[in-house]
Amino acid sequence: MSEGDLKRKLEGGEESPAKIQKVEEHAGFSLNVNLALMKATEIKGFREVLDLPPSALQGIAEHSDADLKKLHINTVRELGEYKFYKLAKAVVTLAEKEETGGRPAISQMNINHGVDKEYETKSLKEIAAAPVLGLQGIGEVGAATLAGFGINTVADLAAWKFAHWAESLVALAEFENPDFSSR
């Protein structure tokens, strides 16, 4: 949406005069994440977006919010901080650095609190290829819900674009300055 289109939309009564003034004051900014957000959320700040339901992300239908609630994901922030996504992402990231047969016999490394018993002795590569049900605590309902989003393996979960987007929005929100001043 161009600056002129936004200003016309705001002047159409959808936003306050103060918001219109902000548009004029910050016309030189070009940062946006429009291709990740639904149209109605494109003018919101990162922090405000984090408190919206996941369907604020482009590609997640409103009816999917109910499905995501089964995973205890009610907001964009909760999607970005979803513990099973973070675990899956860490497994997949470090699986690339795993040396086949290279574990010292006395190594203390384990992720036993993150995977079911049958996967405790597996390599990170094997865990990445495992079904999401191999993650400790995800359960049948969680696995079925994720399957509805095309996520069947730990690697699929690690690559979930909506979780990536949400995680990035959480990170960028930390650096957002609502009054646009420089530090």
Side-chain angles (χ1 to χ4, degrees), residues 47-81:
R47 292 175 185 176
E48 192 176 356
V49 169
L50 296 182
D51 295 327
L52 296 174
S55 60
L57 298 176
Q58 230 179 74
I60 297 182
E62 283 187 35
H63 66 79
S64 295
D65 289 335
D67 292 330
L68 290 168
K69 284 182 181 188
K70 295 174 190 171
L71 302 174
H72 307 288
I73 297 171
N74 300 292
T75 65
V76 172
R77 178 189 313 277
E78 289 172 346
L79 177 56
E81 296 174 345

Short mmCIF file of all heavy atoms in Angstrom, two decimals, residues 47-81:
data_model
loop_
_atom_site.label_atom_id
_atom_site.label_comp_id
_atom_site.label_asym_id
_atom_site.label_seq_id
_atom_site.Cartn_x
_atom_site.Cartn_y
_atom_site.Cartn_z
N ARG A 47 5.15 -4.87 18.15
CA ARG A 47 4.66 -5.26 19.47
C ARG A 47 3.16 -5.51 19.45
O ARG A 47 2.67 -6.42 20.12
CB ARG A 47 5.02 -4.20 20.49
CG ARG A 47 6.51 -4.13 20.73
CD ARG A 47 6.90 -3.02 21.65
NE ARG A 47 8.36 -2.96 21.71
CZ ARG A 47 9.01 -2.06 22.37
NH1 ARG A 47 8.38 -1.12 23.03
NH2 ARG A 47 10.33 -2.08 22.38
N GLU A 48 2.43 -4.72 18.70
CA GLU A 48 0.99 -4.90 18.59
C GLU A 48 0.65 -6.19 17.84
O GLU A 48 -0.26 -6.92 18.22
CB GLU A 48 0.37 -3.69 17.89
CG GLU A 48 -1.12 -3.62 17.96
CD GLU A 48 -1.69 -2.36 17.34
OE1 GLU A 48 -0.93 -1.47 16.91
OE2 GLU A 48 -2.93 -2.27 17.29
N VAL A 49 1.40 -6.49 16.81
CA VAL A 49 1.18 -7.70 16.02
C VAL A 49 1.36 -8.94 16.88
O VAL A 49 0.63 -9.93 16.74
CB VAL A 49 2.11 -7.74 14.78
CG1 VAL A 49 2.09 -9.11 14.11
CG2 VAL A 49 1.74 -6.65 13.79
N LEU A 50 2.31 -8.91 17.81
CA LEU A 50 2.60 -10.08 18.64
C LEU A 50 1.41 -10.52 19.47
O LEU A 50 1.29 -11.70 19.82
CB LEU A 50 3.79 -9.81 19.55
CG LEU A 50 5.12 -9.57 18.86
CD1 LEU A 50 6.22 -9.38 19.90
CD2 LEU A 50 5.47 -10.69 17.91
N ASP A 51 0.53 -9.59 19.80
CA ASP A 51 -0.63 -9.91 20.64
C ASP A 51 -1.85 -10.33 19.83
O ASP A 51 -2.89 -10.66 20.40
CB ASP A 51 -0.97 -8.72 21.54
CG ASP A 51 0.14 -8.44 22.54
OD1 ASP A 51 0.80 -9.39 22.99
OD2 ASP A 51 0.34 -7.26 22.89
N LEU A 52 -1.73 -10.35 18.52
CA LEU A 52 -2.84 -10.75 17.64
C LEU A 52 -2.88 -12.26 17.50
O LEU A 52 -1.88 -12.95 17.73
CB LEU A 52 -2.67 -10.11 16.26
CG LEU A 52 -2.74 -8.58 16.23
CD1 LEU A 52 -2.42 -8.07 14.82
CD2 LEU A 52 -4.11 -8.08 16.68
N PRO A 53 -4.01 -12.81 17.09
CA PRO A 53 -4.07 -14.26 16.84
C PRO A 53 -3.17 -14.63 15.67
O PRO A 53 -2.86 -13.78 14.82
CB PRO A 53 -5.54 -14.51 16.52
CG PRO A 53 -6.13 -13.20 16.18
CD PRO A 53 -5.28 -12.14 16.84
N PRO A 54 -2.76 -15.88 15.60
CA PRO A 54 -1.87 -16.32 14.52
C PRO A 54 -2.41 -16.02 13.12
O PRO A 54 -1.64 -15.86 12.17
CB PRO A 54 -1.72 -17.82 14.75
CG PRO A 54 -1.95 -17.98 16.23
CD PRO A 54 -2.98 -16.95 16.58
N SER A 55 -3.71 -15.93 12.97
CA SER A 55 -4.29 -15.65 11.65
C SER A 55 -3.95 -14.25 11.15
O SER A 55 -4.27 -13.91 10.01
CB SER A 55 -5.81 -15.84 11.66
OG SER A 55 -6.42 -14.98 12.61
N ALA A 56 -3.27 -13.46 11.95
CA ALA A 56 -2.75 -12.17 11.48
C ALA A 56 -1.62 -12.38 10.47
O ALA A 56 -1.28 -11.48 9.72
CB ALA A 56 -2.24 -11.32 12.65
N LEU A 57 -1.06 -13.60 10.46
CA LEU A 57 -0.02 -13.94 9.49
C LEU A 57 -0.68 -14.39 8.19
O LEU A 57 -1.66 -15.15 8.20
CB LEU A 57 0.88 -15.06 10.03
CG LEU A 57 1.66 -14.75 11.29
CD1 LEU A 57 2.42 -15.98 11.77
CD2 LEU A 57 2.59 -13.58 11.09
N GLN A 58 -0.12 -13.91 7.09
CA GLN A 58 -0.65 -14.27 5.77
C GLN A 58 -0.50 -15.76 5.55
O GLN A 58 0.59 -16.31 5.68
CB GLN A 58 0.13 -13.50 4.70
CG GLN A 58 -0.75 -12.79 3.73
CD GLN A 58 0.04 -12.03 2.70
OE1 GLN A 58 0.60 -12.64 1.81
NE2 GLN A 58 0.08 -10.71 2.83
N GLY A 59 -1.61 -16.42 5.23
CA GLY A 59 -1.58 -17.85 4.96
C GLY A 59 -2.17 -18.70 6.07
O GLY A 59 -2.39 -19.89 5.88
N ILE A 60 -2.43 -18.10 7.23
CA ILE A 60 -3.11 -18.83 8.30
C ILE A 60 -4.55 -18.33 8.33
O ILE A 60 -4.81 -17.15 8.62
CB ILE A 60 -2.43 -18.61 9.68
CG1 ILE A 60 -1.00 -19.16 9.67
CG2 ILE A 60 -3.26 -19.29 10.78
CD1 ILE A 60 -0.28 -19.04 11.00
N ALA A 61 -5.47 -19.22 8.05
CA ALA A 61 -6.89 -18.86 8.02
C ALA A 61 -7.41 -18.65 9.45
O ALA A 61 -6.89 -19.23 10.40
CB ALA A 61 -7.69 -19.96 7.33
N GLU A 62 -8.43 -17.82 9.58
CA GLU A 62 -9.01 -17.54 10.90
C GLU A 62 -9.46 -18.82 11.61
O GLU A 62 -9.29 -18.94 12.82
CB GLU A 62 -10.17 -16.56 10.79
CG GLU A 62 -9.71 -15.13 10.60
CD GLU A 62 -10.85 -14.13 10.65
OE1 GLU A 62 -11.81 -14.34 11.43
OE2 GLU A 62 -10.77 -13.12 9.93
N HIS A 63 -10.01 -19.78 10.86
CA HIS A 63 -10.46 -21.03 11.50
C HIS A 63 -9.29 -21.83 12.07
O HIS A 63 -9.48 -22.66 12.96
CB HIS A 63 -11.30 -21.87 10.55
CG HIS A 63 -10.57 -22.40 9.37
ND1 HIS A 63 -9.75 -23.50 9.42
CD2 HIS A 63 -10.52 -21.98 8.08
CE1 HIS A 63 -9.23 -23.74 8.23
NE2 HIS A 63 -9.67 -22.82 7.40
N SER A 64 -8.07 -21.57 11.60
CA SER A 64 -6.89 -22.27 12.11
C SER A 64 -6.50 -21.79 13.51
O SER A 64 -5.78 -22.51 14.22
CB SER A 64 -5.71 -22.09 11.16
OG SER A 64 -6.00 -22.71 9.93
N ASP A 65 -6.98 -20.61 13.91
CA ASP A 65 -6.70 -20.15 15.27
C ASP A 65 -7.21 -21.16 16.30
O ASP A 65 -6.54 -21.42 17.30
CB ASP A 65 -7.34 -18.78 15.52
CG ASP A 65 -6.65 -17.65 14.77
OD1 ASP A 65 -5.46 -17.78 14.44
OD2 ASP A 65 -7.32 -16.61 14.52
N ALA A 66 -8.37 -21.74 16.04
CA ALA A 66 -8.92 -22.75 16.96
C ALA A 66 -8.03 -23.98 17.02
O ALA A 66 -7.82 -24.56 18.09
CB ALA A 66 -10.34 -23.12 16.54
N ASP A 67 -7.49 -24.39 15.87
CA ASP A 67 -6.58 -25.54 15.85
C ASP A 67 -5.31 -25.23 16.63
O ASP A 67 -4.82 -26.07 17.40
CB ASP A 67 -6.21 -25.91 14.40
CG ASP A 67 -7.39 -26.46 13.63
OD1 ASP A 67 -8.28 -27.09 14.24
OD2 ASP A 67 -7.43 -26.26 12.40
N LEU A 68 -4.77 -24.04 16.44
CA LEU A 68 -3.53 -23.67 17.13
C LEU A 68 -3.73 -23.57 18.64
O LEU A 68 -2.79 -23.81 19.40
CB LEU A 68 -2.96 -22.38 16.54
CG LEU A 68 -2.40 -22.56 15.12
CD1 LEU A 68 -2.11 -21.21 14.48
CD2 LEU A 68 -1.16 -23.42 15.14
N LYS A 69 -4.94 -23.26 19.07
CA LYS A 69 -5.22 -23.23 20.51
C LYS A 69 -5.02 -24.60 21.14
O LYS A 69 -4.67 -24.69 22.32
CB LYS A 69 -6.64 -22.71 20.78
CG LYS A 69 -6.74 -21.21 20.61
CD LYS A 69 -8.12 -20.69 20.92
CE LYS A 69 -8.09 -19.18 20.68
NZ LYS A 69 -9.31 -18.52 21.13
N LYS A 70 -5.21 -25.66 20.36
CA LYS A 70 -4.96 -27.01 20.86
C LYS A 70 -3.49 -27.21 21.21
O LYS A 70 -3.13 -28.09 21.98
CB LYS A 70 -5.39 -28.06 19.82
CG LYS A 70 -6.87 -28.07 19.54
CD LYS A 70 -7.17 -29.02 18.39
CE LYS A 70 -8.59 -28.88 17.91
NZ LYS A 70 -8.83 -29.65 16.67
N LEU A 71 -2.63 -26.38 20.61
CA LEU A 71 -1.18 -26.41 20.89
C LEU A 71 -0.80 -25.36 21.92
O LEU A 71 0.38 -25.11 22.14
CB LEU A 71 -0.40 -26.17 19.58
CG LEU A 71 -0.66 -27.13 18.43
CD1 LEU A 71 0.07 -26.66 17.17
CD2 LEU A 71 -0.22 -28.54 18.80
N HIS A 72 -1.80 -24.71 22.49
CA HIS A 72 -1.61 -23.61 23.45
C HIS A 72 -0.96 -22.40 22.77
O HIS A 72 -0.17 -21.68 23.39
CB HIS A 72 -0.82 -24.07 24.68
CG HIS A 72 -1.42 -25.27 25.33
ND1 HIS A 72 -2.59 -25.23 26.05
CD2 HIS A 72 -1.04 -26.58 25.32
CE1 HIS A 72 -2.90 -26.44 26.47
NE2 HIS A 72 -1.98 -27.28 26.04
N ILE A 73 -1.28 -22.21 21.51
CA ILE A 73 -0.80 -21.06 20.74
C ILE A 73 -2.01 -20.18 20.45
O ILE A 73 -2.87 -20.54 19.65
CB ILE A 73 -0.12 -21.50 19.42
CG1 ILE A 73 1.11 -22.34 19.72
CG2 ILE A 73 0.22 -20.29 18.56
CD1 ILE A 73 1.73 -23.00 18.49
N ASN A 74 -2.06 -19.04 21.14
CA ASN A 74 -3.19 -18.11 21.00
C ASN A 74 -2.81 -16.82 20.30
O ASN A 74 -3.68 -16.07 19.88
CB ASN A 74 -3.77 -17.78 22.38
CG ASN A 74 -4.26 -19.02 23.09
OD1 ASN A 74 -5.23 -19.63 22.67
ND2 ASN A 74 -3.57 -19.40 24.16
N THR A 75 -1.51 -16.54 20.22
CA THR A 75 -1.05 -15.28 19.65
C THR A 75 0.15 -15.53 18.73
O THR A 75 0.77 -16.60 18.76
CB THR A 75 -0.59 -14.30 20.76
OG1 THR A 75 0.55 -14.86 21.43
CG2 THR A 75 -1.71 -14.01 21.76
N VAL A 76 0.48 -14.51 17.96
CA VAL A 76 1.68 -14.57 17.12
C VAL A 76 2.91 -14.78 18.00
O VAL A 76 3.79 -15.57 17.67
CB VAL A 76 1.81 -13.30 16.25
CG1 VAL A 76 3.15 -13.26 15.53
CG2 VAL A 76 0.64 -13.20 15.26
N ARG A 77 2.96 -14.10 19.15
CA ARG A 77 4.10 -14.26 20.07
C ARG A 77 4.24 -15.71 20.52
O ARG A 77 5.33 -16.28 20.51
CB ARG A 77 3.92 -13.37 21.31
CG ARG A 77 5.04 -13.52 22.33
CD ARG A 77 4.77 -12.79 23.65
NE ARG A 77 4.30 -11.45 23.47
CZ ARG A 77 5.07 -10.38 23.26
NH1 ARG A 77 6.38 -10.53 23.21
NH2 ARG A 77 4.54 -9.18 23.12
N GLU A 78 3.13 -16.33 20.90
CA GLU A 78 3.19 -17.71 21.37
C GLU A 78 3.62 -18.66 20.25
O GLU A 78 4.31 -19.64 20.53
CB GLU A 78 1.83 -18.13 21.95
CG GLU A 78 1.54 -17.44 23.27
CD GLU A 78 0.15 -17.66 23.80
OE1 GLU A 78 -0.74 -18.15 23.06
OE2 GLU A 78 -0.07 -17.33 24.99
N LEU A 79 3.25 -18.36 19.02
CA LEU A 79 3.73 -19.17 17.90
C LEU A 79 5.24 -19.02 17.76
O LEU A 79 5.96 -20.00 17.57
CB LEU A 79 3.02 -18.76 16.60
CG LEU A 79 3.47 -19.48 15.33
CD1 LEU A 79 3.34 -20.99 15.45
CD2 LEU A 79 2.66 -18.96 14.14
N GLY A 80 5.76 -17.79 17.86
CA GLY A 80 7.19 -17.54 17.74
C GLY A 80 8.01 -18.12 18.87
O GLY A 80 9.21 -18.36 18.73
N GLU A 81 7.36 -18.35 20.01
CA GLU A 81 8.05 -18.88 21.19
C GLU A 81 7.67 -20.34 21.48
O GLU A 81 8.01 -20.87 22.53
CB GLU A 81 7.74 -18.01 22.40
CG GLU A 81 8.28 -16.59 22.25
CD GLU A 81 7.86 -15.64 23.37
OE1 GLU A 81 6.91 -15.98 24.14
OE2 GLU A 81 8.47 -14.57 23.48
#
